[in-house]
């Protein structure tokens, strides 16, 4: 499907960008617009991105701000937000196009987490099941949304964490459930490997519970860090 824009927020991702963008070139040749929104990298990420992207821009640091800046430059009728450590399936554009043509307003892919911990397959399974049950999508799942709807809701909220959950809640408040594409996308388990899988699982559940109970995104971010 043409008229798709993929927006990739990056910060010092020189080690990952070349392979990520190389994998996206077949989709780009089929008409997908690739936008890289850099948050002030010091490792040459913008220069590495330019050969494989349609637009490379520098935005105020912060994933939500970078994604909003990328969306403001996009020409596609639908936007997909892709983390630099996440790999889409080769037919992602066609899967997404079929969902949109079928009436979907927004959605996400199932995720597979790759890393050392034996707990990661269970983490991915629970993430996918929880998302289907609650309608909440996370950035690791490559969220996508029709641009008109994204703009009408004001884009991602300007907050340092949980911007994906907040946007999901705003979309659900419109009576719109997500399309859950089985994909899957493959994402890095580096944060689980670095911090310990069980510790990270517990931490993320606690933070989401606190956010649901009304804690500010800033306090959640400080606890996460």
């Amino acid at each position: 499907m043409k008229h798709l824009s993929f927006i990739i927020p990056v910060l010092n991702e020189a080690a990952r960008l070349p392979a990520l963008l190389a994998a996206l070139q077949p989709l780009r040749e089929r008409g997908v617009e690739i936008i890289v929104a850099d948050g002030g990298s010091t490792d040459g990420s913008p220069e590495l991105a330019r050969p494989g992207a349609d637009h490379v821009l520098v935005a105020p640091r912060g994933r939500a701000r970078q994604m909003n800046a990328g969306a403001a430059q996009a020409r596609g009728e639908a936007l997909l937000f892709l983390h630099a450590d996440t790999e889409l399936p080769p037919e992602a554009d066609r899967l997404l196009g079929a969902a949109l043509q079928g009436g979907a307003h927004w959605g996400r892919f199932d995720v597979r987490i790759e890393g050392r911990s034996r707990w990661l397959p269970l983490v991915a399974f629970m993430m996918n099941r929880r998302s289907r049950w609650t309608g909440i999508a996370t950035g690791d799942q490559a969220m996508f949304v029709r641009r008109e709807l994204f703009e009408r809701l004001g884009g991602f909220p300007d907050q340092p964490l949980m911007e994906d959950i907040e946007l999901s809640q705003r979309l659900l408040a419109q009576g719109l459930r997500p399309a859950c594409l089985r994909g899957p996308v493959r994402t890095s388990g580096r944060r689980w490997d670095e911090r310990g899988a069980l510790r990270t699982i517990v931490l993320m559940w606690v933070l989401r519970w606190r956010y649901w109970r009304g804690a500010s995104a800033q306090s959640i971010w400080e606890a996460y860090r």
Side-chain angles (χ1 to χ4, degrees):
M1 177 185 175
K2 294 185 183 295
H3 310 303
L4 298 176
S5 296
F6 290 3
I7 297 159
I8 309 169
V10 302
L11 180 64
N12 294 327
E13 292 287 359
R16 297 175 180 272
L17 265 178
L20 172 66
L21 293 172
L24 293 176
Q25 293 314 296
L27 286 74
R28 190 182 179 199
E29 292 169 4
R30 295 197 293 265
V32 172
E33 179 184 44
I34 306 297
I35 298 174
V36 174
D38 187 82
S41 295
T42 58
D43 65 350
S45 287
E47 291 74 19
L48 287 171
R50 286 192 177 94
D54 295 286
H55 304 285
V56 178
L57 58 96
V58 177
R61 182 174 300 188
R63 183 172 284 164
R65 293 174 179 176
Q66 291 169 237
M67 291 189 292
N68 285 340
Q73 294 290 320
R75 295 176 295 176
E77 297 173 6
L79 312 172
L80 180 142
F81 299 94
L82 180 65
H83 289 183
D85 61 358
T86 300
E87 181 181 340
L88 293 170
E91 300 297 308
D93 55 336
R94 291 168 178 162
L95 295 170
L96 176 52
L100 294 169
Q101 290 168 7
H105 293 275
W106 73 289
R108 63 20 162 221
F109 288 79
D110 276 359
V111 67
R112 180 183 300 160
I113 306 173
E114 297 185 340
R116 297 188 304 269
S117 173
R118 60 189 174 89
W119 291 99
L120 294 182
L122 177 61
V123 173
F125 174 79
M126 295 301 295
M127 185 184 299
N128 296 332
R129 289 295 296 269
R130 183 194 69 236
S131 179
R132 278 188 165 79
W133 177 50
T134 63
I136 299 294
T138 65
D140 292 326
Q141 295 172 304
M143 292 178 68
F144 59 88
V145 59
R146 293 183 184 271
R147 186 173 68 170
E148 179 278 330
L149 177 60
F150 181 80
E151 292 175 347
R152 177 155 51 88
L153 294 179
F156 286 101
D158 186 6
Q159 57 190 57
L161 201 66
M162 303 289 180
E163 76 284 343
D164 45 7
I165 291 177
E166 183 64 31
L167 180 60
S168 295
Q169 292 175 339
R170 294 179 183 181
L171 288 160
L172 290 170
Q174 300 292 309
L176 302 173
R177 296 283 297 182
C180 298
L181 308 188
R182 296 195 177 275
V185 300
R186 295 186 298 172
T187 194
S188 170
R190 56 183 173 176
R191 72 173 179 263
W192 286 275
D193 288 338
E194 291 169 358
R195 298 182 176 207
L198 287 177
R199 180 173 178 267
T200 303
I201 292 168
V202 172
L203 174 64
M204 294 309 297
W205 276 103
V206 169
L207 295 182
R208 288 193 179 101
W209 170 256
R210 287 179 55 189
Y211 189 70
W212 181 76
R213 295 281 294 174
S216 70
Q218 183 62 40
S219 69
I220 298 293
W221 170 244
E222 292 167 358
Y224 177 75
R225 298 190 66 184

